[in-house]
Amino acid sequence: MNGLKEAFSRENLLKDLNFFALLNLGLVLTAVGIVYFKNPNHFAFGGTSGLSILLADLFPRINVGGFMWIINIVLVVLGFIFLGVKCMGWTIYSSFALSFFVSGCEWLYPSGVSLSGDAMLDLVFAVFLPALGAAIVFDIGASTGGTVALILAKYTSMEIGKALMVSDILIVLAAAVRFGMGTGLYCILGLIGKSFVVDGAIENIRLRKVCTIMTANPQPILDFIIHDMNRSATVEKAYGAYTHHELSVLVTVLTRRQALQLRNFLREND
């Protein structure tokens, strides 16, 4: 019994470590995109980062990371008041951790100019890195923010997606007024691209393969699937149309990496 408890606690610890590592990886990617690609070009697509870019330009004594700390503190307080502690969940940690990583990037390598000198190339990375980071965070069940949208959704008839879109559009319009129509148009492209990249990245992260195996000797394959990959399978009986020999049809759902492992196992053993 003690052995089972130790194994269970070890498994839970590994899951927690994996969750924490993925959460911080997503936040670091988002911070890099904000500091080195969004901020130098004034790409304010929305969210706390977009608002911080606008405010940092209006009040240059405080950098983007500083304004993200201020805004996130205000949002967390509003979340406590209007949503309660339970509804905030990992949003509290994500908000402050993202502010910390942004400040860390600004401290490690302060850069107020474009890294590439090409606004369109910067736009690609300004969209891709935060979108990939957000996709990783969303996929593990956490969030990078969205407190205002949650409050609007709770106290009005507006859906969360529409609430996010409204807040983002307002920030983009403010960027167009402040930085010029050219930057505003880049921000519109970024806002559109962000939604497509986030959705596409989430779909690819969650992508699974349905593997169908026909074999006359199913047990070694089932043992490999169950014990080595910790997956399951469905087994059906069939027979060859030409030979009339009895076969087993195994159907299992695997990640791409696991599907490759299974294919290599089959090549070596079946």
Side-chain angles (χ1 to χ4, degrees):
M1 183 63 73
N2 289 334
L4 287 174
K5 287 183 178 179
E6 289 178 4
F8 184 73
S9 60
R10 194 181 301 115
E11 184 180 351
N12 286 338
L13 177 61
L14 290 174
K15 286 182 179 179
D16 291 340
L17 290 174
N18 183 61
F19 175 90
F20 193 69
L22 287 174
L23 175 60
N24 284 283
L25 172 62
L27 296 174
V28 167
L29 290 173
T30 303
V32 170
I34 291 169
V35 174
Y36 300 121
F37 297 101
K38 281 188 177 183
N39 186 35
N41 297 279
H42 300 134
F43 291 155
F45 302 156
T48 56
S49 63
L51 185 57
S52 298
I53 290 169
L54 282 168
L55 292 174
D57 185 74
L58 291 170
F59 307 99
R61 290 187 178 181
I62 303 177
N63 58 17
V64 174
F67 273 113
M68 287 193 70
W69 278 106
I70 295 169
I71 293 169
N72 282 322
I73 288 172
V74 172
L75 290 178
V76 167
V77 172
L78 289 174
F80 284 152
I81 295 171
F82 293 103
L83 300 174
V85 178
K86 291 183 178 179
C87 290
M88 295 297 288
W90 278 99
T91 301
I92 301 170
Y93 172 82
S94 299
S95 299
F96 291 132
L98 181 58
S99 302
F100 172 79
F101 290 135
V102 168
S103 296
C105 288
E106 290 177 329
W107 177 75
L108 286 172
Y109 186 73
S111 176
V113 296
S114 168
L115 293 179
S116 68
D118 186 334
M120 185 57 72
L121 184 60
D122 282 353
L123 179 66
V124 171
F125 283 94
V127 170
F128 177 75
L129 289 175
L132 179 60
I136 292 172
V137 172
F138 291 153
D139 185 63
I140 60 175
S143 170
T144 57
T147 304
V148 173
L150 289 173
I151 293 172
L152 287 173
K154 182 175 180 179
Y155 290 96
T156 69
S157 59
M158 190 177 294
E159 297 176 0
I160 292 178
K162 290 181 180 178
L164 283 170
M165 183 61 70
V166 167
S167 62
D168 288 345
I169 288 173
L170 290 174
I171 292 173
V172 167
L173 290 175
V177 172
R178 177 65 185 174
F179 305 122
M181 186 54 67
T183 300
L185 292 174
Y186 275 119
C187 291
I188 292 171
L189 284 177
L191 183 60
I192 295 170
K194 181 177 71 172
S195 61
F196 283 106
V197 174
V198 169
D199 291 342
I202 290 174
E203 287 301 318
N204 277 282
I205 290 171
R206 294 178 177 177
L207 184 66
R208 299 292 182 266
K209 291 195 172 187
V210 178
C211 302
T212 303
I213 307 137
M214 288 172 286
T215 178
N217 186 24
Q219 198 55 51
I221 302 170
L222 289 172
D223 289 341
F224 180 76
I225 293 171
I226 295 169
H227 300 299
D228 291 71
M229 294 196 295
N230 295 317
R231 305 296 294 182
S232 186
T234 299
V235 183
E236 294 180 297
K237 293 297 181 180
Y239 66 90
Y242 181 75
T243 63
H244 295 284
H245 291 163
E246 187 176 281
L247 296 170
S248 293
V249 180
L250 317 181
V251 180
T252 183
V253 180
L254 306 172
T255 64
R256 283 174 288 189
R257 181 177 61 83
Q258 290 173 330
L260 181 61
Q261 290 177 335
L262 179 60
R263 185 176 68 181
N264 292 336
F265 176 83
L266 292 171
R267 284 177 175 173
E268 294 174 1
N269 297 278
D270 192 90

